[in-house]
Amino acid sequence: MSTPLSTVCSTSDLDDLCINTLRFLSVDGVQKADSGHPGLPLGAAPMAYVLWTRFLKHYPSNPAWPDRDRFVLSAGHGSMLLYSLLHMTGYDLSLEQLEQFRQWGSKTPGHPERGVAPGVETTTGPLGQGFGNGVGMAMAEAHLAARYNRAGFEIIDHFTYAIVSDGDLMEGVASEAASLAGHLQLGKLIYLYDDNRVTLSAGTGITFTENRARRFEAYDWHVHTVDDGNDLAAIERALTDARAETRRPSLILVHTHLGYGSPNKQDSFTAHGSPLGEDEVRLTKQNLGWPTEPAFYIPEAARLHFREAIARGEREEAQWNSRFAEYARAFPELARELQQATRGELPAAWDKDIPIFPPDAKGMATRVASGKVMNAVAPHVPALIGGSADLDPSTHTALQGLGDFEPPGESAHDRQGSEGGGWSFAGRNLHFGVREHAMGAILNGLAAHGAIVPFGATFLIFSDYMRPPMRLAALMGLHVIYVFTHDSIALGEDGSTHQPVEQLAGLRSVPRLNVIRPADANETAMAWRVALETCDRPVALILTRQDVPTLDRSQFAAADGLRRGGYVLADAPGGRPQLILIATGSEVALIVAAREQLRARNIAVRIVSLPSWALFDAQPQAYRDAVLPPSVGARLAVEAGVSQGWHRYVGDRGDMLGVERFGASAPGNVMLREYGFTVDNVCARAVALLR
Ligand SMILES: Cc1ncc(C[n+]2csc(CCOP(=O)(O)OP(=O)(O)O)c2C)c(N)n1
C-alpha cells in the first residue's frame, strides 16, 4: 500500500530529498532486476548529487554538445546511480527504462554502455578502465584547447570528472594512468574516490592498505580528503578547490559507507553486489525516512530541482554557441577544421601525399612504410594524434616535427626523445611511456571525447598488455588505430618472449575489431587509408620488423584489393587454378616465390593476399567464392602464427603452414628457415595437397 511522503518522509530538506531519490531509484532498480549493485549508489549518491547539480556543465537535451564536461562512472557496477542521474536531470532515459534495468532490449544494461543510454560517455564495468578513459578525455581537452583556443576565445574549456572506487584504484591500469596524468599536469581532471573500504568479497583491510592519499601525492596529484561522505558542504569545498588547482589533477578521497542506511548491510560486502532483499529495502527506506512504497518513487520537488539542469545547460550551450560563432568569424579556418574533426570527417585531399612505393625486390619493412605513410598523412589530418609505449624508434610512429604533447614549462628539461615541433599540449606526439594498458584506456578516452583520431603503437606481442581496453574500443565502436609491429617469429634475436604466435588469432577473435596485416609497402598505404576511413570501429595494423619486397603491381593485382580484405594477387593461366596459395603480411612474399617454382613444374597456381579476414568476411559470397572457388580444394595458407581459424579459408582438403609452438632466439632468417617458412617447404606442402 502506498504511503504519502508527507506522513513518512522525516526530512523536508531538498538536498536529502534529491539524494535519497538517487539512492532509492538505484536500490529499487536493482531489487526489481533481482540483480545489480546497490551498495555504491547508497554511499556515493551525495557526491554525485553535489557534482551533478552544482558543478557539472552539461545539457541533457544535447548530450553531444562538444564543450560539455565529461563524467565517467569508472565503478560501472554502480550503473543505477548513473541511470538515476541521467533520468532525473532530464536526459532521454525514461523511468520505464530504469524499471527495465538489466533487461533484454533496455537502455539500461548491467554496466553503462556508451551509445546505449544518452549521456553515457564511455563503457565501464571492467574496473580501472574508466579511470584511464578519463585521463584520455582530459588529454583530448588539453590538446584541443591548445590547438584551437585563441586569446579571448576559450572555445574548448571543460573539466573531466569521474567517480572511482577501491577496485578502480587497485587495478594496475589506474596506476599507469595516474602516473602519466600527474606527469602531464592534467589540472582539469578531477576524480571523486568513493573511499568506502569495502569491495566485492571483503573489507579492504585484507587487500588494500597503502596510504592512497600519499600514493597520489607521489604521482603529483592534488589530494583532498572529505571525512564524511554525507557532508555536502565539504564535498562542494573540495570540488571548488580541485577546480581552482590548475596544474595538478585532483583526487578527492570521500569517506563513505557502502550500502549507507541499510540497517543490516551497511559497510558489509553483502551490500556490494546483490539486491538488498525486499525486507532490507523496506528497512533502509524507513531508516532514511523514505516512503516504503511505491517503488521508483520520485518526489516532485526533487524532479524539479534536478531538471534545472536543462535550463542551465540550455543557457550554457547557447552562450557557447554564440562564442563559437564569433570565433568562427575571427578564425574561419580553425573553426571549420574543428567542426570537421568533431563530425569525424576527413579533410579534403587528406591523402594527396600518400606515396606510391616503386617495385623493389629488397623492399622495406611494413613498419617503415607505415611511418612514411603516417608522416605523409598527418599534416593534412589534424585530428590524428598518438604515440607509442616507449617504442617510437622501433614502431616508426613518430610524427616528425608535429610537436610533443607535454606540459609547457619546467618539466621540459629532458627533451631526449622529442620529435620536434614544439613542447606543449598542442603537440601531436603522445609519449605514453612503458604503459601499454593505460595507453589502450587513454586511446579510448581520446576517441570517446571526440574531434580526435588516436593511434597507439607497440610490439604485437605487447598487445596482450592492452587487450582489455581494445575489447572495450571494439564494444564501443571507437575509432582507434593500433599500430603493432614486430609481428612474428621473424623479429629474430629477441627470442620467444617477444615473438608473437597466438596474438593474431586472439585479435581476430574480437568482434568489430578490424585486424589488417599488409603484405608490402603499398598494401600498408592502403591499410592506413582503411584505418582512417573506418570510423565505426578500431583497426589494428600488424606490421613487420623485417624488410619485405615491394611487389611490382604491373605484374600483380593492385594493392587496393586490400579494401576487400582478400584478393587474387596473381592467377593461374585461364583463371583455372589447381592449387591456391593464401598468405598475409610477410608471408605473401613467400607464396609469390613459391608460385614461380610451382609454375616451373607446370602446376597452375593462384596466389591470394588475405590481409584482413574481417573485411574479406564482409564481402558478398560471390566475391569470396571468386577469390577462393569452392571447386578448388587444394589450398595452402601460410602465416607465421597459429593456424587456429584458418580452416575456414583452406577447407577440409587444404592445409596450413603456421607456427604451433613458441619461438626462439635466433636471427630472423634462421627462425623462418627452422620453422619451415622456406620456398621449398611451401612448395612441398602445396604439392602434397595435389596427391
Ligand atoms: C577488472 C575487474 N575485475 C573484477 C571485477 C568484478 N568486480 C566488480 S565490483 C568489484 C569490487 C569492487 O569494489 P569497489 O570498487 O570498492 O566497489 P564497491 O564495493 O564500493 O561497490 C569486483 C571485484 C570487475 N568488475 N572488473
Side-chain angles (χ1 to χ4, degrees):
M1 197 184 65
S2 170
T3 322
L5 181 69
S6 53
T7 61
V8 174
C9 184
S10 60
T11 175
S12 60
D13 180 270
L14 183 60
D15 292 331
D16 276 355
L17 204 63
C18 290
I19 291 166
N20 283 334
T21 303
L22 296 177
R23 284 184 172 132
F24 290 111
L25 282 177
S26 302
V27 163
D28 287 337
V30 171
Q31 191 60 41
K32 176 145 191 261
D34 198 18
S35 162
H37 302 75
L40 180 144
L42 282 169
M47 68 177 96
Y49 167 70
V50 172
L51 176 62
W52 276 62
T53 57
R54 301 183 192 172
F55 292 94
L56 196 70
K57 179 176 73 171
H58 65 136
Y59 182 26
S61 307
N62 182 8
W65 169 30
D67 199 40
R68 68 192 181 278
D69 288 337
R70 303 305 194 267
F71 173 78
V72 175
L73 180 66
S74 186
H77 58 274
S79 54
M80 266 308 297
L81 176 62
L82 179 55
Y83 299 144
S84 302
L85 288 161
L86 293 170
H87 172 71
M88 291 305 295
T89 52
Y91 285 79
D92 182 18
L93 190 67
S94 66
L95 188 59
E96 290 68 45
Q97 290 295 336
L98 267 60
E99 291 171 351
Q100 289 302 304
F101 179 47
R102 295 187 161 225
Q103 303 310 307
W104 176 258
S106 80
K107 290 185 182 176
T108 48
H111 295 79
E113 293 185 29
R114 178 183 163 88
V116 177
V120 174
E121 301 279 0
T122 181
T123 298
T124 52
L127 289 162
Q129 295 300 326
F131 190 115
N133 296 165
V135 173
M137 291 173 189
M139 287 168 68
E141 195 270 350
H143 176 72
L144 295 170
R147 182 173 177 91
Y148 292 106
N149 287 354
R150 291 293 179 272
F153 293 99
E154 308 284 303
I155 49 153
I156 307 286
D157 183 14
H158 69 77
F159 288 91
T160 300
Y161 299 100
I163 291 180
V164 303
S165 67
D166 292 311
D168 286 307
L169 262 54
M170 278 196 247
E171 290 290 354
V173 62
S175 305
E176 295 178 20
S179 160
L180 187 59
H183 162 76
L184 289 174
Q185 302 178 8
L186 300 175
K188 288 160 97 175
L189 181 70
I190 300 176
Y191 284 178
L192 289 156
Y193 165 32
D194 179 34
D195 185 6
N196 63 24
R197 297 176 161 79
V198 184
T199 60
L200 183 150
S201 66
T204 53
I206 67 167
T207 50
F208 188 43
T209 50
E210 77 223 16
N211 185 319
R212 274 84 101 181
R214 285 191 0 228
R215 172 178 151 204
F216 276 77
E217 276 162 10
Y219 292 139
D220 203 17
W221 283 50
H222 164 247
V223 175
H224 207 302
T225 301
V226 172
D227 291 326
D228 174 4
N230 289 315
D231 183 344
L232 307 188
I235 294 169
E236 184 170 342
R237 271 196 307 278
L239 281 165
T240 304
D241 279 4
R243 285 159 56 104
E245 164 63 51
T246 55
R247 190 181 70 81
R248 293 172 295 172
S250 291
L251 184 76
I252 304 171
L253 296 87
V254 188
H255 291 166
T256 59
H257 295 276
L258 184 73
Y260 176 80
S262 159
N264 299 300
K265 296 195 170 178
Q266 176 177 314
D267 295 320
S268 152
F269 69 82
T270 56
H272 159 82
S274 337
L276 295 179
E278 280 178 14
D279 290 345
E280 193 66 13
V281 169
R282 186 166 17 81
L283 292 174
T284 307
K285 286 181 176 175
Q286 285 169 349
N287 190 30
L288 294 182
W290 200 249
T292 51
E293 288 181 56
F296 298 97
Y297 175 63
I298 299 177
E300 195 52 23
R303 186 197 305 277
L304 289 173
H305 185 48
F306 275 111
R307 293 277 157 103
E308 288 167 18
I310 298 177
R312 208 169 35 239
E314 189 176 11
R315 246 187 342 266
E316 284 176 316
E317 195 218 30
Q319 284 164 5
W320 184 84
N321 283 339
S322 63
R323 278 209 313 279
F324 192 84
E326 280 177 48
Y327 172 81
R329 276 192 291 278
F331 307 101
E333 279 305 307
L334 283 176
R336 239 193 316 276
E337 186 184 297
L338 176 58
Q339 283 174 316
Q340 196 164 43
T342 303
R343 288 194 301 268
E345 291 169 10
L346 289 164
W350 65 275
D351 56 352
K352 68 182 167 65
D353 292 333
I354 293 182
I356 295 169
F357 296 93
D360 179 359
K362 177 180 175 296
M364 70 175 77
T366 52
R367 65 176 167 145
V368 174
S370 165
K372 291 183 191 298
V373 174
M374 290 175 74
N375 277 285
V377 162
H380 309 299
V381 184
L384 183 68
I385 73 172
S388 72
D390 193 37
L391 284 169
D392 281 6
S394 303
T395 55
H396 288 253
T397 41
L399 303 179
Q400 277 131 26
L402 295 185
D404 300 280
F405 181 90
E406 289 288 330
E410 78 273 27
S411 82
H413 59 273
D414 176 6
R415 296 196 183 190
Q416 267 196 81
S418 166
E419 317 297 0
W423 192 270
S424 76
F425 285 145
R428 292 171 58 189
N429 288 287
L430 308 181
H431 300 285
F432 290 103
V434 193
R435 300 184 183 95
E436 294 84 1
H437 197 171
M439 176 168 76
I442 287 169
L443 294 171
N444 289 353
L446 288 162
H449 180 280
I452 282 178
V453 178
F455 68 87
T458 183
F459 293 161
L460 178 58
I461 194 74
F462 302 131
S463 64
D464 283 356
Y465 272 52
M466 49 192 290
R467 283 296 296 274
M470 292 182 70
R471 178 172 195 276
L472 287 168
L475 187 56
M476 288 188 256
L478 292 177
H479 190 191
V480 174
I481 301 171
Y482 307 106
V483 182
F484 293 138
T485 66
H486 297 60
D487 70 349
S488 78
I489 54 166
L491 69 83
E493 295 87 344
D494 271 339
S496 55
T497 56
H498 283 50
Q499 292 163 348
V501 172
E502 74 281 22
Q503 279 64 30
L504 266 171
L507 294 177
R508 284 177 181 145
S509 73
V510 180
R512 214 191 282 147
L513 170 64
N514 187 1
V515 177
I516 310 180
R517 187 169 185 247
D520 73 347
N522 288 308
E523 271 198 17
T524 304
M526 200 52 64
W528 262 105
R529 283 178 188 272
V530 171
L532 282 159
E533 290 166 359
T534 308
C535 302
D536 65 345
R537 65 196 58 212
V539 177
L541 304 178
I542 312 295
L543 307 172
T544 68
R545 172 184 186 235
Q546 76 278 20
D547 289 342
V548 291
T550 306
L551 296 177
D552 180 351
R553 298 288 168 167
S554 68
Q555 306 292 309
F556 296 96
D560 67 1
L562 176 138
R563 287 186 179 282
R564 309 193 80 168
Y567 61 105
V568 178
L569 203 53
D571 210 351
R576 286 207 302 277
Q578 295 166 270
L579 179 69
I580 303 176
L581 302 179
I582 313 165
T584 76
S586 45
E587 286 70 69
V588 169
L590 201 53
I591 61 169
V592 166
R595 170 174 173 261
E596 290 307 311
Q597 206 183 96
L598 294 166
R599 277 207 308 189
R601 290 157 70 177
N602 283 327
I603 298 171
V605 186
R606 167 181 292 188
I607 54 175
V608 170
S609 176
L610 192 55
S612 167
W613 290 14
L615 291 176
F616 188 67
D617 292 351
Q619 298 304 313
Q621 184 75 46
Y623 177 78
R624 285 179 283 143
D625 286 350
V627 175
L628 301 174
S631 58
V632 184
R635 306 175 189 181
L636 179 71
V638 185
E639 184 176 76
V642 295
S643 61
Q644 190 175 2
W646 270 105
H647 55 270
R648 71 209 276 194
Y649 303 112
V650 298
D652 292 344
R653 288 155 53 212
D655 192 10
M656 160 73 184
L657 171 56
V659 177
E660 305 294 358
R661 57 189 158 130
F662 291 119
S665 274
N669 55 347
V670 176
M671 285 302 302
L672 290 172
R673 189 188 69 218
E674 294 297 324
Y675 276 63
F677 290 89
T678 62
V679 177
D680 285 347
N681 192 39
V682 170
C683 292
R685 294 276 289 261
V687 168
L689 293 171
L690 294 174
R691 281 188 209 117

